Amino acid sequence: MAAPSSLPHQLLNPATCRCTPEARKGMVHTQALFRGASASTLADLDFLMRARSLRAGEAVTPTALTQPVFGLVVRGTVKVERWITLDEVAILEVLGPGDLFLHGDSPEGPVLYRASDRLTAMTTTCVLTMPCDELNPLLARDPVLGPRISWQLVRRLSQTEDRMSRLMVETAEHRLAYLLMYLTTKGTTRPKAPGLIPFNVTRKDLAALAGITLETASRILSAWEKREWLRSGRGWIEIRDAGALRQLGSVT
Amino acid sequence: MAAPSSLPHQLLNPATCRCTPEARKGMVHTQALFRGASASTLADLDFLMRARSLRAGEAVTPTALTQPVFGLVVRGTVKVERWITLDEVAILEVLGPGDLFLHGDSPEGPVLYRASDRLTAMTTTCVLTMPCDELNPLLARDPVLGPRISWQLVRRLSQTEDRMSRLMVETAEHRLAYLLMYLTTKGTTRPKAPGLIPFNVTRKDLAALAGITLETASRILSAWEKREWLRSGRGWIEIRDAGALRQLGSVT
DNA sequence: CGCCAGTTTGAACGGCATCAACAGATGTGG
DNA sequence: CCACATCTGTTGATGCCGTTCAAACTGGCG
């Protein structure tokens, strides 16, 4: 409700994107996921991967996927939504810079997200994508790529199981506090507003992430705002007392 | 409550284990996770990995882990428990044959489960384990191993996110139905009792898996037993109408 | 045979969902 | 420029599902 020092919407949704053709040139080479890969692998990836710049709300992959896509978030943030029932959507995951994804249904071979899931940019975002089945030859040839991907997958799986265990038992307030802290690790913080969660987050998003209703999310956030733990508005949240939230969200 | 055709406890907890030294010999070579690996890699794994036979209730790894462990369930079933609060335990995951795990705290490099987590055999179980850091040289050398591990991790992550999304929003009855179907995919079904979940499961376990209380789990299972969807006793559950449960859990 | 972990059942409480109404912000089209 | 629709957020009343607490029962192991 309180007006922040500078307009959050401009900070969260910059019109300019630095994904110029020149910047795209070195993009593959600067990704941590590909660090240590051989020159030929990097050249292949550079050839195969397509860079896309997205604005907030845009879909990362087309609605009708013909084949599975392997992708990597370079800048910005992406949410993964899934219809749980006919009228209810849950957010499975929030992908930040450096996070990989596999999207689409494959007859053989596993994928992370189904073709029916929606991947949507939550702010001005840049992603690299390529056909999933082009990846296997690269993995077979480059001994560094596989372990790098495995590492990230282990980290993601570990994080997800931790998140799940908290969502299972804790109260709505604890879940929300944990999730806010989780969200701050996704996306790149804006230097002008350090506490601001650096992408668009509505009450509905928080509810879909925490498995609660948006009314409950609104009530809890209002209570925290009274205690001056945070400030928020339409689609943005600025954390002012991370310590208090972290304490509430963690166990002990 | 109803007595099953033959005693479940004998089926679930066979005293004899076929993990004889001779059987252990070829154990590494028959694992799907290592299929396609080079002969030298298999020889190294055969040398590095230690086979252990466990009875129901035994811990897979010692309570005081000195270094992270890479392991693989060969036979039987293992549950992964974590203390969420001081007096509450959640089951993060149930590992069946073919499932890998990384257990222990590492200063650098990610692990799946923390040293404080408990891995416990739910039936007569056989696992292969080795020090985690011995794995990296093998991954760097063998181009098949990395992708195999990545594949499994993708499958696990995908499954876990699906499970999480259901635990977030659905009712206790739906969760339980989904989890029962999930559990049937873990462990090897006993030929003499096809519907029997092939390891020890108590109401407490189910509750810790679903994020509900054991009283609620008991009430729901009693209702299902009245409808003859299943039979159960102390530590065992036999599914009689998988279709009804699958529909209730909306398992596709 | 005795004991304990596992299980069952009941009663009362409370957190959160549901439904509803409204207010403010944003976008749209004439 | 305003009227209008849509999206986002707020607040209140009510009811239900699952927790909590408590007591009793029982299967299977020592």
Side-chain angles (χ1 to χ4, degrees):
Chain A
M1 290 296 264
S5 44
S6 53
L7 289 170
H9 288 94
Q10 295 176 12
L11 286 170
L12 296 182
N13 306 311
T16 61
C17 176
R18 282 163 298 174
C19 286
T20 58
E22 300 82 54
R24 186 250 172 280
K25 194 70 183 167
M27 205 175 277
V28 163
H29 301 261
T30 54
Q31 294 309 303
L33 190 66
F34 304 140
R35 191 164 299 155
S38 69
S40 70
T41 306
L42 285 174
D44 286 352
L45 284 168
D46 202 53
F47 174 75
L48 286 167
M49 299 204 89
R50 195 163 69 99
R52 279 231 304 153
S53 179
L54 305 157
R55 281 183 303 176
E58 259 188 294
V60 173
T61 41
T63 47
L65 278 170
T66 50
Q67 60 175 341
V69 163
F70 166 75
L72 178 64
V73 177
V74 177
R75 280 180 54 240
T77 314
V78 171
K79 63 180 172 187
V80 183
E81 293 173 313
R82 176 173 295 177
W83 262 275
I84 300 301
T85 63
L86 285 175
D87 54 353
E88 195 158 15
V89 172
I91 296 183
L92 290 189
E93 179 63 289
V94 171
L95 306 172
D99 287 339
L100 66 84
F101 59 88
L102 299 162
H103 186 208
D105 294 332
S106 166
E108 92 312 341
V111 287
L112 266 186
Y113 306 118
R114 303 175 189 160
S116 57
D117 297 337
R118 264 192 337 203
L119 277 71
T120 318
M122 302 179 83
T123 177
T124 309
T125 297
C126 181
V127 294
L128 289 167
T129 53
M130 63 180 269
C132 195
D133 47 4
E134 307 273 16
L135 192 63
N136 282 332
L138 293 181
L139 283 174
R141 232 177 41 212
D142 198 301
V144 174
L145 212 51
R148 275 259 186 278
I149 290 176
S150 292
W151 268 40
Q152 174 166 148
L153 290 171
V154 166
R155 181 173 55 75
R156 293 264 292 273
L157 183 50
S158 168
Q159 266 186 7
T160 304
E161 294 200 328
D162 186 56
R163 204 160 88 245
M164 182 182 65
S165 69
R166 288 162 189 278
L167 293 180
M168 283 198 313
V169 289
E170 314 232 6
T171 64
E173 198 175 10
H174 284 76
R175 295 188 203 181
L176 216 46
Y178 173 78
L179 279 170
L180 282 186
M181 288 298 101
Y182 179 69
L183 289 183
T184 56
T185 68
K186 303 286 181 179
T188 324
T189 46
R190 304 286 184 268
K192 290 176 187 172
L196 186 70
I197 291 181
F199 42 86
N200 296 316
V201 200
T202 63
R203 303 284 183 275
K204 201 174 174 180
D205 288 333
L206 283 179
L209 267 165
I212 58 180
T213 57
L214 64 93
E215 290 94 332
T216 303
S218 176
R219 275 181 249 267
I220 293 172
L221 259 66
S222 295
W224 288 346
E225 207 152 345
K226 282 205 187 80
R227 292 186 223 166
E228 295 193 338
W229 288 5
L230 53 78
R231 294 196 296 182
S232 70
R234 297 171 76 87
W236 59 270
I237 295 170
E238 186 190 17
I239 290 164
R240 315 213 73 189
D241 191 343
L245 288 172
R246 189 170 292 118
Q247 195 175 4
L248 188 59
S250 72
V251 202
T252 43
Chain B
M1 289 300 265
S5 43
S6 53
L7 289 170
H9 288 93
Q10 295 176 11
L11 287 169
L12 295 182
N13 307 312
T16 61
C17 177
R18 282 164 296 177
C19 287
T20 58
E22 300 81 55
R24 185 250 172 281
K25 195 70 182 167
M27 204 175 278
V28 164
H29 301 262
T30 55
Q31 294 310 302
L33 190 65
F34 304 140
R35 193 164 298 155
S38 70
S40 70
T41 305
L42 286 173
D44 285 352
L45 284 168
D46 201 53
F47 173 75
L48 286 166
M49 299 205 89
R50 195 163 69 98
R52 279 230 304 152
S53 178
L54 305 157
R55 281 183 303 177
E58 259 188 295
V60 173
T61 42
T63 46
L65 279 170
T66 50
Q67 59 175 339
V69 163
F70 166 75
L72 180 63
V73 178
V74 176
R75 280 179 53 240
T77 314
V78 171
K79 63 181 171 185
V80 183
E81 293 172 314
R82 175 172 296 177
W83 261 275
I84 300 300
T85 63
L86 286 175
D87 55 353
E88 194 158 15
V89 172
I91 296 183
L92 290 189
E93 179 62 290
V94 171
L95 305 172
D99 286 341
L100 65 84
F101 58 87
L102 299 163
H103 186 207
D105 294 332
S106 166
E108 92 311 340
V111 287
L112 265 187
Y113 306 119
R114 304 175 190 161
S116 57
D117 296 338
R118 266 191 337 206
L119 278 73
T120 317
M122 301 180 83
T123 178
T124 309
T125 298
C126 182
V127 294
L128 289 166
T129 53
M130 64 181 269
C132 195
D133 47 6
E134 307 272 17
L135 193 62
N136 281 331
L138 294 180
L139 284 174
R141 232 177 44 212
D142 198 301
V144 174
L145 211 52
R148 274 260 187 277
I149 290 177
S150 293
W151 268 39
Q152 174 167 148
L153 289 171
V154 167
R155 182 174 54 75
R156 292 264 293 274
L157 184 51
S158 168
Q159 266 186 8
T160 304
E161 294 200 328
D162 187 55
R163 206 161 85 244
M164 181 181 68
S165 68
R166 288 163 189 279
L167 293 180
M168 284 199 312
V169 290
E170 313 234 5
T171 64
E173 199 175 9
H174 282 77
R175 296 188 203 181
L176 216 47
Y178 173 79
L179 279 170
L180 282 185
M181 287 300 100
Y182 179 69
L183 289 182
T184 56
T185 67
K186 303 287 179 177
T188 326
T189 45
R190 305 285 184 267
K192 291 174 185 172
L196 187 69
I197 290 180
F199 43 86
N200 296 314
V201 201
T202 64
R203 302 283 183 276
K204 202 175 174 179
D205 288 334
L206 283 179
L209 266 165
I212 57 180
T213 58
L214 67 93
E215 290 95 332
T216 304
S218 176
R219 275 181 248 267
I220 292 170
L221 258 68
S222 295
W224 289 345
E225 206 151 345
K226 281 206 187 79
R227 292 185 223 167
E228 294 192 340
W229 288 5
L230 52 79
R231 294 196 296 182
S232 70
R234 298 180 160 240
W236 59 269
I237 295 169
E238 186 189 19
I239 290 164
R240 315 213 73 189
D241 191 342
L245 289 173
R246 189 169 293 119
Q247 194 174 4
L248 188 58
S250 62
V251 185
T252 46

